Amino acid sequence: MKFPSPLSPIHDALLTGAAVWNSADSLPPSVSQFDASDPQKAALLGVADHSHLPRAGVKGPGATGWLAELGLSLPSRSNSWLPFPDGGLIGRLGNTEYLIEGNAARVAQIMQTPRAPGVYPVLRQDAVFALCGSRVNELLLQTCNVDFRCLVADPTQLLLTSMAGVSVLVLVAGNKIHPVYRLWCDGTYGLYLWETLTGIAEELGGGGIGLDALP
Amino acid sequence: MKIMTCPFNGPRPVSEFFYWGEIRPMPDPATCSDESWADYIFNRNGAPGVKQEWWCHIASNTWFIAERNTEKDLVLRTYLFEEEL
Amino acid sequence: MRLPPVPGEWLDRSVDVSFSFEGKTYRGHAGDTISSALLAADAGILGRSFKYHRPRSVLSMANHDVNAVCQWGDRPNVRADVTRLQAGMDLAAVNTFGGLKSDKASVLGSLSRFLPVGFYYKSFHTKRLFPMWERLFRTLTGLGKVSFNTPHIRTAKRYGFCDVLVIGAGPSGLAAALAAAEQGAEVVVVDENARAGGSGGYVRGGFGPQAEQLADDPLTRVLAHPGVRLMTETYAAGYYADHWVALVGGDVLTKMRTKSVVVASGAYEQPAVFRNNDLPGIMLASAAQRLIYRYAVRPMQQAVVLTANQDGYRAALDLAAHGVEIVAVLDLRLSSTASEPELAVKARGIPVLPGHHIVEALPGANGKSVVGAIVAGRGKMRTLACDGILMSIGWAPAANLLYQAGTRMRYEQSLEQFVPDTLPPGVFACGRVNGVHTLSARRLDGQRAGSAAAAHAGFGDARVITVPAEMECPTHPWPIVAHPKGKNFVDFDEDLQLKDFENAVQEGFDNIELLKRFSTVGMGPSQGKHSNMNALRILARLTGREPQQVGTTTARPFFHPVPMSLLGGRGFSPERRTPLHARHEALGAQWMMASVWQRPEHYRLTDKDRQQCIREEAMAVRQNVGLIDVGTLGKLEVIGPQAAELLERVYISKYANLKVGMTRYAVMCDESGVVIDDGVVGRLAEDHFYFTTTTSGAATIYRELSRLNTMWRLDCGIVNHTGAFAAVNLAGPKSRALLSRLTSLDLSATAFPYLALREGVVAGIPARLMRVGFVGEWGYEIHVPANQGATLWDALMAAGKAFALRPFGVEAQRLLRLEKGHIIIGQDTDGLTNPFDVGLEWALKMDKPFFVGQRSLHVIGRQPRKQKLVGFVLDAQFNGSAPQECHLVIDCGEIAGRVTSIAWSPTLGCHIGLAFVRPELAETGTAIAIRLTDRSTVSATVARTPFYDPDNLKQKEPA
Amino acid sequence: MPWRLLRFATTKKHPEPRMFTEHAELKPSYDVVIIGGGGHGLAAAYYLGRDHGITNVAVLEKGYIGGGNTGRNTTIIRSNYLTPEGVKFYDESVNLWQDLSQEFDLNLFYANRGHFTLAHTDSALRTMRWRAEVNKHYGVDSEVVGPDFVKRAAPMINLSCGHAPILGALYHAPGSIARHDAVAWGYGRGADMRGAEIHQQTEVLGIDVRGGKVCGVQTSRGYIATDKVLCAVAGFTPRILDMVDIKTPITIHPLQAMVSEPLKPWLDPILVSGSLHIYVSQSARGELVMGASLDPYELHSTRSTLDFVEGLSAHMLDMFPFLSHVKVMRQWAGMADMTPDFAPIMGKTPIEGFYLDAGWGTWGFKATPVCGKTMAHTIATDTPHPLINGFSLDRFRNYSLTGEKGAASVGH
């Protein structure tokens, strides 16, 4: 199969032969099904690649005002996030940095709008993973020294922390019964983190899954 | 593991942080003597006590100041550099 | 001998477990430990002591029977007293010579008079003979054996979180857990035993479970409470800062973060010291009780019980209730409080001898078990026949974790025990470790501690609970009997006898820490659990001080030893990969580590060796065109009105005057003037710079610039794009022709001159392009968003076929830049190199108002130079073995410098290199001598750099 | 069997006298007061008596002798340093070590094992060649060897070491280990026999300096007049120097170590890996004695951390996978007095009569004999011994650092 540009940072790990691919214009292809056992894995512990979503970043003391002028509603607290009605999200990293993800048109608008004083565009080329399943907490406990129950208690929070030795941004989506953790890391650490997380997931009865299997 | 409190990210294990060292005010390079400049460059306030130190929360690249007792390893307070100005 | 079923026993009698020990096959039951199964089978001795190889058996059944240690296949030092029996175990005692039964090294026991404490310091040290003696010692030393075939076991370490952690699930710990949970705290209780309950399960005083336990069983209530998690077979191995406790259970290390800790770890029963107190059959009373109630093993037939508290009477009742004849109970005290168990013992007609002690235990004919005891009291000596002796003379608190947490302990005279005096915030103690021994009081103490711990964690208020004082002293202050013939052991790990302590103190080791180091008391695998308290009492008496004055040694982690596989866990090794990683792999990259990255060192070709591959890659760049992945470089941006100001302050050159669309080499120094990093700064707009750092510097430079800007508060921001951009360097005379096929950018020398920076589209991808000359050819560094890096690479490789494009690795790049005379920070510089040393004066703009390192360079600039980096060449005819990097330059027999880089240049046809030399040798044309590993010297000539294209013609349009 | 042992068996009473005389009181004055009863301080007292006839000496120790870094290090002795100053200095130390057991009539278990510093990167290999060449220039036995040589000396090693394959090593044949506590006792007894007084449990509270000269020392047991004071307190150096207002670049970082349960001997050489942050040897008791790098932040305490044992165990298993079942018995820490150039600070100070022996970071134990000898010379003659010229406090004022740091990723 020939893949058009661009590609997920962990593209090489997804080339399994069994994967069913999704391809949209100008987005990295994504895996809708990893293999036939996706539902079983997802129930226990699934790791899916979400890197294909369009994404933009901006930081600096002028970022808040600049984004507001673009008509976006912003998270009011530092280290919190808001979903967009169309499924995308905006996260406030620390106090003056934002990550916008999901809607291609919105992302393109942000990337094409000229920056203003105190506004510093950030090219986001993250590896993005979604974790789900009944044993997801065990995976988190094996890789991260932060109690993620605080996220379930307050799902508007964003956590910037370290997982298996890599800096990550984490939030919890989904619901209390089926939480889905989403995490972002530098794309160049993506393969390492994917291999580490799916390796542990496999020990726990799960593994890599396609996006269709996410709850 | 020691807990360090990042002003933005809250209490976290100290392994999430990078330690730089004590804040040392730089003498004016234009007016100070060679000797006091060398003192600034090399010498340290080595005795234990409460010190103001630079720390960085790595995942968020947040630099802040920790007031820490270097004998008991007690963090008395942490704050952003700007807050001290 | 195995007893009929005992209520509450831990055995599953329906499951037989077959195993072998010392070559003989045995059967036990599921639930047995190795020791209990062997005792049930009357297997005889379980191990040999470390120094004298004396026969030993059960002492504690509580994880410090350090002489009952087995080799189990490839597992060394398996503790028989607590290791669960498993089917098919093939066990042998450790450190025997010719087997456990007839250990040849037991001859050392008869030589013990020659081997007093510290004997090895006093002899064997003739310089000539020591190596021989050392070899002998090395055959005798050590316990178990490692097997080199053991695999690397990676375990699933995990973090844990709770509000209150209770360590110990005995009566006080369970009460604490319940009290804390009832206040709403999330509680975790750990206990190292297979089942919870602690001494509540095996100290019964001859009856079934005590009435009050049955009426209100705390264990049942704990198990039923949703707020409590019970972890059995899990021990707290160490306490670390901020309530971080290492829990070891099964094959997992749990790193538990808790808001408060209740230490309910109990106490170690302590041995009495008398001659032959180590004979098999002599054990702590609690060991015998554990054997009976947990494992249904009758430890002996006829027992003498030596006691100094009501626990001993209780043990006597427990034994008597299970068919053991109690020959006598010897009470070290002249009078006692006539406790309930004591009265019960007397009521059974068991002889009680107050004011009596054991002078000596008598070994049987084979020396491998006890057959009697010589006892003394009230002026009389007599011999009692027995096949077992129970010691119940007192307790030492299991306070290791309390010490690690920073608790100050105090010697409580009325208890003859150290108890917590000042506990750190959030740390609580209850039960025996807190000096509370009576069962009902321990429960109250647990409730008190549990309630207070929950309150500390933010759940409810601490209840006021008064714990009644102990009615009797549970511990005897001097359970020690001297004997002229010795063999009265204080430390069973190290075979230390009473006289060893006397001798050590006589030699001046009269401080508890010095005594420990000289005698090695407490340094063996049990870490002093049974020996430290007696050692302290002996030292106190010998030096005429109180135990409080003597003090204790420092208790360090671990409480019990922890396997390395549990500590190591999976071993996370984060690694970064550029988006081109798979491309390199497919092309046969030979990888090399470059900080957290793997980079292609060269690309392997099947029919060529490494050196050939590297030279061909280099020649491809010189003659045609090459492509290298430089995505590992740090890639930063600084944006804002004061962006130029930031760069002015952190680099030694000027950037305020850099034109938009141009780049400039950039060197960074630290405050002391040492060169620490370099890169290229490009100006994208008046207020916008894009710049690179070295591969290894990327993360640290970004972090330090962020700190400086936090401090300087300039009106600009720094963005780290290291991972966001893929980057390649396309270099060689044909690079422009190649690139022109993929871009509509005007690549003419006037439109895109040397050192210019352009933004454009390459192969349909938005890109930043820089005309750099690191390798000395016309070339372009092309940076594109990381997710299109592979596409760019593929496009360049495809278009490059027509130009004989070759990918090249780090080694070829090193060679090419050396021909061009460019330095590599970290290879051609070291931790003390300043810009003057390496000829960077041209970049150094001392007339700027300020930059990091400037003030120091002012001072250094006035000093005489100590060294200078120069180029050198070897004679073109040279065909011997060439110098290597870091071979020394020798002048008049003295070190005059060193080679930092050297390679054979295929372009120049000779060896070229860079070297530090003393300034007087730096003149071009000077002959220098380089000494090789074999002490021969090679002559070289100082030469001008660049070696290749000195006039930089390659960057100019051919005329 | 050595005859010496017969004596133990043939006398009724233990035939060994006190190693250190007990002194009920401090004298009102001494010719030299040494602060710190570790190996360095006791060695200085010993050589002051042996080489210079100065015996009116008091060694003041806050705790017990050898209780600081002398008793906390991993006992490695070597001289394969990078700078000429370092090589000559440590080489003299190794020479002195050879004869100490006989000189003291006390077995220090000085065992020559050979020392490998493993290289996992080409840059580490380069630095090793640099060290080897400088070593050989000064007659110190060092050479760069390949992985096959390492494999022959330690056949059980996993050359691929997880992610960091061994590319070669610096082999230093004279590398040795010794029984650390006994070194303090040997020097202590030797000094005691020559008349020096060792005062344990005696804390220095102040130093009396008048007109730029030392006059006396205030202790927890009273005042002592003296015009010569040696400060040899390693991790406590900044506290003592604070009393006399001398500033140095020294910062204190904990250095941790751990030990396994005793095992039958299987590891002869001493192995060090900079990339994996390991150094390991097997002691005479059969225990693996293991250390790693300094703790990352300043701390004046000897607390232990869990991350240390976790990280070191993981790396140990990368090198020796078969140690999976081997148990770690105990961990501990010392306070390392670090300098920016990884070389010590020795010699005279701006205060007349106040001498400094500090900046020992992670390399102090191996230097014990030569430190004692050169500091004794420096004190006796009020002139720095030639071997310590490169280590003066002045070098930081003059930007003339010694550059030992270039070689030391793990400095042990």
Side-chain angles (χ1 to χ4, degrees), chain A residues 19-91:
Chain A
V20 178
W21 291 85
N22 254 336
S23 196
D25 288 347
S26 79
L27 288 184
S30 59
V31 170
S32 53
Q33 184 188 314
F34 207 76
D35 59 43
S37 63
D38 274 14
Q40 294 94 298
K41 288 186 286 183
L44 281 173
L45 182 39
V47 186
D49 178 41
H50 249 310
S51 310
H52 69 287
L53 295 175
R55 201 173 300 114
V58 62
K59 71 182 208 179
T64 304
W66 185 76
L67 286 170
E69 268 182 36
L70 291 178
L72 298 179
S73 54
L74 308 179
S76 55
R77 286 178 298 122
S78 57
N79 289 334
S80 67
W81 66 285
L82 283 177
F84 289 123
D86 57 30
L89 62 86
I90 178 163

Side-chain angles (χ1 to χ4, degrees), chain C residues 454-486:
Chain C
H456 180 89
F459 298 88
D461 297 316
R463 285 155 59 195
V464 179
I465 296 170
T466 314
V467 180
E470 293 296 312
M471 298 296 286
E472 73 163 26
C473 176
T475 295
H476 196 274
W478 189 251
I480 292 158
V481 178
H483 194 285
K485 288 184 175 164

